[in-house]
């Protein structure tokens, strides 16, 4: 466990740059009073390979992350499912029969799963309307790799599922994968 309290700024910035740690100062979270007592009580657990991380008290009490380079979604998703099951065997998650899992952000209600891929699509980036059209067809969200409300740098985007309610976790990941495969096909053909 690496608490934010006492973490030197260089280490914190490196973890943020590597997409392993949340960044402080998000104006939307500040407006919602999610940043009170910052940085007290906040930190990150991660394995040695940094393919499995748990953010503590950023936006949600826990944000469970499984990630790795390459395209092996089965491995990433499998690791996530095993971890969630292990955590839930010790501590039940808040769940409503109608709304699904409960989170700080209403857009994450339901499965709460945000499956994303960082992908470089410079040809599609030149035709943002086409990129947005394909994203809409597959219910995907397109944003920069530095988080919500950021722009793409060099044609690299963070593409994720937009829907969290009314489908299973597997269906959310599959919908994202189908959209990514379509984007790759269009990028190669452009």
């Amino acid at each position: 466990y690496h608490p934010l309290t006492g973490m030197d700024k260089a280490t914190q910035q490196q973890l943020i740059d590597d997409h392993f740690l949340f960044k402080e100062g998000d104006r939307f979270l500040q407006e919602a009073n999610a940043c009170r007592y910052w940085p007290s009580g906040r930190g990150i657990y991660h394995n040695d390979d940094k393919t499995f991380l748990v953010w503590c008290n950023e936006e949600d009490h826990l944000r469970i992350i499984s990630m790795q380079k390459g395209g092996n979604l089965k491995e990433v998703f499998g690791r996530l499912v095993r971890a969630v099951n292990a955590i839930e065997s010790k501590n039940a998650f808040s769940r409503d029969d109608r709304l699904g899992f409960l989170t700080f952000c209403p857009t994450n209600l339901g499965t709460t799963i945000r499956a994303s891929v960082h992908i470089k699509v410079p040809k599609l980036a030149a035709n943002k309307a086409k990129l947005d059209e394909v994203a809409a067809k597959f219910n995907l969200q397109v944003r920069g790799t530095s988080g919500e409300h950021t722009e793409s740098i060099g044609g690299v985007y963070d593409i994720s599922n937009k829907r969290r309610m009314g489908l299973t976790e597997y269906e959310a990941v599959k919908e994202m994968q189908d959209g990514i495969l379509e984007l790759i096909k269009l990028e190669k053909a452009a």
Side-chain angles (χ1 to χ4, degrees):
Y1 178 70
H2 306 277
L4 280 188
T5 304
M7 184 182 288
D8 67 85
K9 288 293 181 188
T11 300
Q12 185 177 357
Q13 191 57 52
Q14 188 60 56
L15 287 168
I16 290 168
D17 292 345
D18 293 339
H19 305 284
F20 299 134
L21 185 64
F22 45 89
K23 58 185 177 189
E24 82 183 89
D26 182 297
R27 64 187 175 149
F28 299 102
L29 293 178
Q30 287 172 342
E31 273 299 308
N33 278 326
C35 299
R36 286 182 292 178
Y37 314 112
W38 194 276
S40 182
R42 291 163 171 88
I44 180 175
Y45 289 93
H46 63 74
N47 64 1
D48 290 339
D49 295 332
K50 294 182 181 164
T51 56
F52 178 74
L53 307 95
V54 179
W55 292 353
C56 299
N57 296 322
E58 183 245 7
E59 187 174 303
D60 293 304
H61 291 247
L62 295 177
R63 176 153 309 166
I64 304 164
I65 302 167
S66 178
M67 59 193 272
Q68 69 188 44
K69 292 185 179 196
N72 192 336
L73 288 176
K74 182 177 181 181
E75 193 172 301
V76 173
F77 186 67
R79 181 173 45 248
L80 178 69
V81 169
R82 287 188 305 277
V84 166
N85 287 339
I87 293 168
E88 193 165 33
S89 74
K90 304 286 184 199
N91 212 1
F93 296 114
S94 295
R95 188 172 193 296
D96 180 86
D97 289 339
R98 188 174 61 88
L99 300 174
F101 291 102
L102 304 178
T103 67
F104 179 82
C105 182
T107 62
N108 289 331
L109 289 173
T111 65
T112 71
I113 195 164
R114 181 177 172 275
S116 73
V117 171
H118 288 191
I119 186 169
K120 186 171 187 172
V121 286
K123 295 173 189 168
L124 282 173
N127 184 355
K128 186 77 166 55
K130 184 65 176 174
L131 179 60
D132 290 340
E133 177 188 319
V134 174
K137 177 181 172 187
F138 289 93
N139 299 304
L140 300 178
Q141 180 181 29
V142 179
R143 62 188 188 184
T145 58
S146 296
E148 236 176 339
H149 316 293
T150 64
E151 297 298 318
S152 166
I153 299 171
V156 179
Y157 290 92
D158 179 312
I159 312 281
S160 63
N161 60 302
K162 194 183 290 185
R163 298 187 316 146
R164 316 274 200 279
M165 292 185 93
L167 68 171
T168 67
E169 290 84 352
Y170 174 81
E171 290 167 336
V173 173
K174 179 75 169 105
E175 192 169 72
M176 184 274 304
Q177 180 186 30
D178 292 345
I180 291 296
L181 292 173
E182 181 68 16
L183 290 172
I184 291 169
K185 185 175 93 177
L186 291 171
E187 179 72 13
K188 286 181 177 179

